Amino acid sequence: MRGKVYLVGAGPGDPELLTLRAYRVLQEAQVVLYDRLVSPDVLELVNPKAHRIYVGKTRGTQTQAQEKILSLLLAYARSNQQVVRLKGGDPMVYGRGAEEWAFLAQHQIEVEVVPGVSSALAAPALAGIPLTLRGVAHSFAVVSGQIAGGLYPSLERVAQAETLVILMGVERRVELAHALIRLGRKPEEPVAFVERSTTPHERIIVSTLAEVAAGGAAVEAPAVWVLGEVVAHRLPTGAKGHRAIQTLAF
Ligand code: SAH
């Protein structure tokens, strides 16, 4: 069998949210290279005979780590292995999936992408927050909160979306909240952070943009940040037992 790389989305954490294709590919894999945000429960579904390689990155080592990942993918595919490159959520959403695909294609390696359930969609949904709601919000945008150099070109472009979903936005939330208010969002607008969605440690923190700007929202990464009127229309999420919902003072 010729080597092939499957670029697979692992979803937000709960293995029940894997696609059937992802499940099958994980069962048949010979090598699995996985990221930091891939949950241990998903890893349990990997073929027990597969070689598992953790390639999660820490800040400062990213460029080097990415080169290493590319060379590992290439080496395993060239030695005729069935390789799974497993990423949290969807592999084409902030996961450098496209860069890895392009690199492998350049080297004539076959690539199959297996889309995953992105945390941008799953975390709000599971927290009972609709991204669109008739009469309330007819558009949503997803943006990264990691902004280099203090410039906000992407944020400026999407700042007016009725619902704004921010990934990787926990660390710089105070700065981002100030920027969003400057860009015209109302300080009293409701926000929610969905922390560690689908894990036993999930928390939903509801606040306002003004309060986030004032440093009042205690949140830990990874979390999906939702901003917009839809947050005020949050639906009951049922008795999941582990869900701690914390509402800060409005
Ligand atoms: N490809 C991924 C996103 C990678 S960027 C996807 O489609 O989901 C990493 C960011 O995703 C984190 O900073 C956080 O904002 C979000 N994220 C990923 N998994 C999450 C989870 N289980 N709960 C909350 N946020 C999550």
Side-chain angles (χ1 to χ4, degrees):
M1 208 173 359
R2 282 194 57 192
K4 179 170 169 178
V5 175
Y6 296 85
L7 203 51
V8 179
D14 183 345
E16 293 280 320
L17 294 175
L18 281 173
T19 63
L20 289 177
R21 183 72 185 143
Y23 178 67
R24 203 184 324 267
V25 161
L26 287 177
Q27 299 258 297
E28 289 167 6
Q30 292 171 296
V31 183
V32 178
L33 284 85
Y34 64 97
D35 278 346
R36 193 167 48 87
L37 282 178
V38 173
S39 77
D41 292 347
V42 167
L43 288 174
E44 273 186 22
L45 300 177
V46 170
N47 172 5
K49 293 195 201 111
H51 182 33
R52 295 173 199 202
I53 306 167
Y54 173 68
V55 292
K57 289 168 222 159
T58 49
R59 205 168 308 145
T61 62
Q62 296 212 352
T63 314
Q64 215 185 343
Q66 192 60 25
E67 275 162 25
K68 177 91 182 145
I69 291 169
L70 295 177
S71 66
L72 282 172
L73 288 171
L74 189 58
Y76 283 116
R78 281 186 170 157
S79 58
N80 296 329
Q81 303 281 300
Q82 301 301 294
V83 185
V84 169
R85 176 68 177 107
L86 191 58
K87 292 168 184 284
D90 180 87
M92 305 294 271
V93 175
Y94 299 123
R96 302 184 81 155
E99 289 166 47
E100 293 174 17
W101 185 347
F103 171 83
L104 292 162
Q106 258 170 27
H107 292 85
Q108 284 75 48
I109 302 294
E110 192 187 343
V111 175
E112 178 182 324
V113 68
V114 181
V117 178
S118 177
S119 63
L121 304 180
L126 291 165
I129 301 166
L131 295 183
T132 66
L133 184 63
R134 210 147 46 89
V136 176
H138 301 97
S139 69
F140 66 89
V142 182
V143 69
S144 161
Q146 278 199 349
I147 301 143
L151 293 170
Y152 294 87
S154 301
L155 199 65
E156 275 177 30
R157 284 203 183 156
V158 298
Q160 306 313 325
E162 287 158 293
T163 304
L164 195 56
V165 177
I166 306 173
L167 300 185
M168 297 176 277
V170 169
E171 214 173 303
R172 300 179 71 170
R173 62 190 178 284
V174 172
E175 188 184 339
L176 286 162
H178 280 292
L180 286 163
I181 293 168
R182 247 191 342 266
L183 290 165
R185 304 289 309 208
K186 291 198 226 80
E188 60 276 16
E189 229 180 321
V191 310
F193 292 91
V194 187
E195 214 177 77
R196 302 193 219 179
S197 179
T198 83
T199 74
H201 311 287
E202 176 174 313
R203 280 199 319 153
I204 304 163
I205 296 133
V206 179
S207 183
T208 62
L209 197 51
E211 198 160 34
V212 178
V219 190
E220 274 175 43
V224 171
W225 176 356
V226 188
L227 168 65
E229 264 327 294
V230 288
V231 172
H233 294 264
R234 195 156 54 79
L235 297 148
T237 47
K240 262 272 186 173
H242 60 257
R243 297 236 157 99
I245 300 176
Q246 194 180 322
T247 305
L248 298 175
F250 274 89

mmCIF file of all heavy atoms in Angstrom, residues 12 37 88-90 93-94 118-120 166-168 194-197 222-224, ligand 1:
data_model
loop_
_atom_site.group_PDB
_atom_site.id
_atom_site.type_symbol
_atom_site.label_atom_id
_atom_site.label_comp_id
_atom_site.label_asym_id
_atom_site.label_seq_id
_atom_site.Cartn_x
_atom_site.Cartn_y
_atom_site.Cartn_z
ATOM 1 N N PRO A 12 -14.208 18.877 19.074
ATOM 2 C CA PRO A 12 -13.863 19.676 20.251
ATOM 3 C C PRO A 12 -13.409 18.871 21.467
ATOM 4 O O PRO A 12 -13.006 19.457 22.469
ATOM 5 C CB PRO A 12 -15.169 20.412 20.556
ATOM 6 C CG PRO A 12 -16.244 19.538 20.009
ATOM 7 C CD PRO A 12 -15.658 18.847 18.817
ATOM 8 N N LEU A 37 -4.565 20.051 21.471
ATOM 9 C CA LEU A 37 -5.995 20.136 21.765
ATOM 10 C C LEU A 37 -6.777 18.861 21.442
ATOM 11 O O LEU A 37 -7.988 18.835 21.535
ATOM 12 C CB LEU A 37 -6.609 21.343 21.050
ATOM 13 C CG LEU A 37 -6.342 22.700 21.723
ATOM 14 C CD1 LEU A 37 -6.940 23.836 20.907
ATOM 15 C CD2 LEU A 37 -6.869 22.735 23.145
ATOM 16 N N GLY A 88 -7.274 19.295 16.594
ATOM 17 C CA GLY A 88 -8.516 19.637 17.299
ATOM 18 C C GLY A 88 -9.497 20.333 16.373
ATOM 19 O O GLY A 88 -9.097 21.048 15.451
ATOM 20 N N GLY A 89 -10.778 20.112 16.606
ATOM 21 C CA GLY A 89 -11.815 20.790 15.821
ATOM 22 C C GLY A 89 -11.768 20.375 14.367
ATOM 23 O O GLY A 89 -11.744 19.191 14.042
ATOM 24 N N ASP A 90 -11.717 21.364 13.493
ATOM 25 C CA ASP A 90 -11.589 21.118 12.058
ATOM 26 C C ASP A 90 -10.157 21.431 11.634
ATOM 27 O O ASP A 90 -9.591 22.436 12.079
ATOM 28 C CB ASP A 90 -12.563 22.020 11.289
ATOM 29 C CG ASP A 90 -12.463 21.785 9.797
ATOM 30 O OD1 ASP A 90 -13.156 20.888 9.288
ATOM 31 O OD2 ASP A 90 -11.653 22.484 9.128
ATOM 32 N N VAL A 93 -9.370 24.987 10.057
ATOM 33 C CA VAL A 93 -9.677 26.213 10.805
ATOM 34 C C VAL A 93 -8.548 26.451 11.804
ATOM 35 O O VAL A 93 -8.419 25.718 12.791
ATOM 36 C CB VAL A 93 -11.035 26.083 11.546
ATOM 37 C CG1 VAL A 93 -11.300 27.312 12.417
ATOM 38 C CG2 VAL A 93 -12.179 25.885 10.560
ATOM 39 N N TYR A 94 -7.721 27.445 11.561
ATOM 40 C CA TYR A 94 -6.586 27.785 12.429
ATOM 41 C C TYR A 94 -5.755 26.579 12.839
ATOM 42 O O TYR A 94 -5.340 26.458 13.992
ATOM 43 C CB TYR A 94 -7.060 28.506 13.696
ATOM 44 C CG TYR A 94 -7.764 29.803 13.408
ATOM 45 C CD1 TYR A 94 -9.062 30.022 13.857
ATOM 46 C CD2 TYR A 94 -7.134 30.792 12.680
ATOM 47 C CE1 TYR A 94 -9.708 31.226 13.581
ATOM 48 C CE2 TYR A 94 -7.773 31.989 12.406
ATOM 49 C CZ TYR A 94 -9.054 32.194 12.857
ATOM 50 O OH TYR A 94 -9.689 33.372 12.593
ATOM 51 N N SER A 118 -15.826 21.942 14.248
ATOM 52 C CA SER A 118 -15.002 23.012 14.818
ATOM 53 C C SER A 118 -15.554 23.474 16.162
ATOM 54 O O SER A 118 -16.780 23.570 16.343
ATOM 55 C CB SER A 118 -14.952 24.194 13.853
ATOM 56 O OG SER A 118 -14.222 25.238 14.444
ATOM 57 N N SER A 119 -14.638 23.806 17.065
ATOM 58 C CA SER A 119 -15.064 24.346 18.361
ATOM 59 C C SER A 119 -15.813 25.664 18.163
ATOM 60 O O SER A 119 -16.649 26.030 18.994
ATOM 61 C CB SER A 119 -13.851 24.563 19.268
ATOM 62 O OG SER A 119 -12.984 25.516 18.704
ATOM 63 N N ALA A 120 -15.552 26.358 17.075
ATOM 64 C CA ALA A 120 -16.242 27.625 16.803
ATOM 65 C C ALA A 120 -17.751 27.402 16.695
ATOM 66 O O ALA A 120 -18.540 28.282 17.037
ATOM 67 C CB ALA A 120 -15.713 28.248 15.515
ATOM 68 N N ILE A 166 -14.717 34.380 18.748
ATOM 69 C CA ILE A 166 -13.267 34.603 18.791
ATOM 70 C C ILE A 166 -12.589 33.359 19.345
ATOM 71 O O ILE A 166 -12.905 32.894 20.436
ATOM 72 C CB ILE A 166 -12.911 35.835 19.656
ATOM 73 C CG1 ILE A 166 -13.697 37.066 19.171
ATOM 74 C CG2 ILE A 166 -11.407 36.104 19.622
ATOM 75 C CD1 ILE A 166 -13.551 38.296 20.057
ATOM 76 N N LEU A 167 -11.670 32.797 18.560
ATOM 77 C CA LEU A 167 -10.855 31.674 19.015
ATOM 78 C C LEU A 167 -9.503 32.235 19.454
ATOM 79 O O LEU A 167 -9.071 33.279 18.958
ATOM 80 C CB LEU A 167 -10.648 30.644 17.893
ATOM 81 C CG LEU A 167 -11.913 29.994 17.312
ATOM 82 C CD1 LEU A 167 -11.527 28.911 16.309
ATOM 83 C CD2 LEU A 167 -12.813 29.419 18.383
ATOM 84 N N MET A 168 -8.838 31.526 20.333
ATOM 85 C CA MET A 168 -7.522 31.942 20.823
ATOM 86 C C MET A 168 -7.564 33.364 21.378
ATOM 87 O O MET A 168 -6.613 34.133 21.216
ATOM 88 C CB MET A 168 -6.480 31.859 19.687
ATOM 89 C CG MET A 168 -6.275 30.452 19.173
ATOM 90 S SD MET A 168 -5.136 30.373 17.781
ATOM 91 C CE MET A 168 -6.219 30.779 16.435
ATOM 92 N N VAL A 194 -16.958 29.933 26.500
ATOM 93 C CA VAL A 194 -17.216 28.515 26.741
ATOM 94 C C VAL A 194 -15.856 27.849 26.871
ATOM 95 O O VAL A 194 -15.111 27.702 25.900
ATOM 96 C CB VAL A 194 -18.030 27.879 25.593
ATOM 97 C CG1 VAL A 194 -18.419 26.452 25.976
ATOM 98 C CG2 VAL A 194 -19.262 28.709 25.268
ATOM 99 N N GLU A 195 -15.547 27.523 28.120
ATOM 100 C CA GLU A 195 -14.216 27.010 28.470
ATOM 101 C C GLU A 195 -14.224 25.488 28.364
ATOM 102 O O GLU A 195 -15.147 24.842 28.884
ATOM 103 C CB GLU A 195 -13.985 27.416 29.927
ATOM 104 C CG GLU A 195 -12.597 27.751 30.316
ATOM 105 C CD GLU A 195 -12.574 28.201 31.783
ATOM 106 O OE1 GLU A 195 -12.646 27.353 32.667
ATOM 107 O OE2 GLU A 195 -12.508 29.402 32.036
ATOM 108 N N ARG A 196 -13.199 24.915 27.741
ATOM 109 C CA ARG A 196 -13.023 23.451 27.659
ATOM 110 C C ARG A 196 -14.300 22.706 27.286
ATOM 111 O O ARG A 196 -14.728 21.765 27.966
ATOM 112 C CB ARG A 196 -12.502 22.911 28.984
ATOM 113 C CG ARG A 196 -11.192 23.560 29.367
ATOM 114 C CD ARG A 196 -10.572 22.804 30.481
ATOM 115 N NE ARG A 196 -9.959 23.702 31.423
ATOM 116 C CZ ARG A 196 -9.349 23.329 32.521
ATOM 117 N NH1 ARG A 196 -9.289 22.061 32.827
ATOM 118 N NH2 ARG A 196 -8.793 24.192 33.314
ATOM 119 N N SER A 197 -14.896 23.155 26.223
ATOM 120 C CA SER A 197 -16.161 22.577 25.761
ATOM 121 C C SER A 197 -16.066 21.060 25.591
ATOM 122 O O SER A 197 -15.060 20.554 25.104
ATOM 123 C CB SER A 197 -16.519 23.221 24.421
ATOM 124 O OG SER A 197 -17.706 22.694 23.926
ATOM 125 N N PRO A 222 -8.342 26.505 26.942
ATOM 126 C CA PRO A 222 -8.967 27.019 25.733
ATOM 127 C C PRO A 222 -10.436 27.361 25.953
ATOM 128 O O PRO A 222 -11.152 26.645 26.622
ATOM 129 C CB PRO A 222 -8.846 25.832 24.767
ATOM 130 C CG PRO A 222 -8.926 24.622 25.644
ATOM 131 C CD PRO A 222 -8.303 25.022 26.951
ATOM 132 N N ALA A 223 -10.829 28.463 25.376
ATOM 133 C CA ALA A 223 -12.236 28.851 25.437
ATOM 134 C C ALA A 223 -12.648 29.501 24.127
ATOM 135 O O ALA A 223 -11.827 30.116 23.447
ATOM 136 C CB ALA A 223 -12.470 29.813 26.595
ATOM 137 N N VAL A 224 -13.916 29.336 23.812
ATOM 138 C CA VAL A 224 -14.490 30.020 22.658
ATOM 139 C C VAL A 224 -15.271 31.205 23.207
ATOM 140 O O VAL A 224 -16.060 31.069 24.135
ATOM 141 C CB VAL A 224 -15.420 29.072 21.863
ATOM 142 C CG1 VAL A 224 -16.200 29.838 20.798
ATOM 143 C CG2 VAL A 224 -14.603 27.949 21.222
HETATM 144 N N1 SAH B 1 -9.024 23.836 14.526
HETATM 145 C C1 SAH B 1 -9.626 24.189 15.804
HETATM 146 C C2 SAH B 1 -9.187 25.563 16.290
HETATM 147 C C3 SAH B 1 -7.716 25.651 16.626
HETATM 148 S S1 SAH B 1 -7.315 27.193 17.381
HETATM 149 C C4 SAH B 1 -11.144 24.121 15.682
HETATM 150 O O1 SAH B 1 -11.686 24.052 14.560
HETATM 151 O O2 SAH B 1 -11.793 24.070 16.723
HETATM 152 C C5 SAH B 1 -7.416 26.816 19.085
HETATM 153 C C6 SAH B 1 -8.611 27.514 19.722
HETATM 154 O O3 SAH B 1 -9.799 26.773 19.507
HETATM 155 C C7 SAH B 1 -8.512 27.664 21.216
HETATM 156 O O4 SAH B 1 -7.749 28.792 21.580
HETATM 157 C C8 SAH B 1 -9.978 27.856 21.600
HETATM 158 O O5 SAH B 1 -10.408 29.171 21.312
HETATM 159 C C9 SAH B 1 -10.659 26.922 20.618
HETATM 160 N N2 SAH B 1 -10.957 25.580 21.164
HETATM 161 C C10 SAH B 1 -10.561 24.402 20.642
HETATM 162 N N3 SAH B 1 -11.070 23.367 21.339
HETATM 163 C C11 SAH B 1 -11.823 23.914 22.334
HETATM 164 C C12 SAH B 1 -12.635 23.389 23.391
HETATM 165 N N4 SAH B 1 -12.776 22.072 23.587
HETATM 166 N N5 SAH B 1 -13.277 24.257 24.207
HETATM 167 C C13 SAH B 1 -13.162 25.581 24.043
HETATM 168 N N6 SAH B 1 -12.396 26.133 23.056
HETATM 169 C C14 SAH B 1 -11.756 25.320 22.212
#
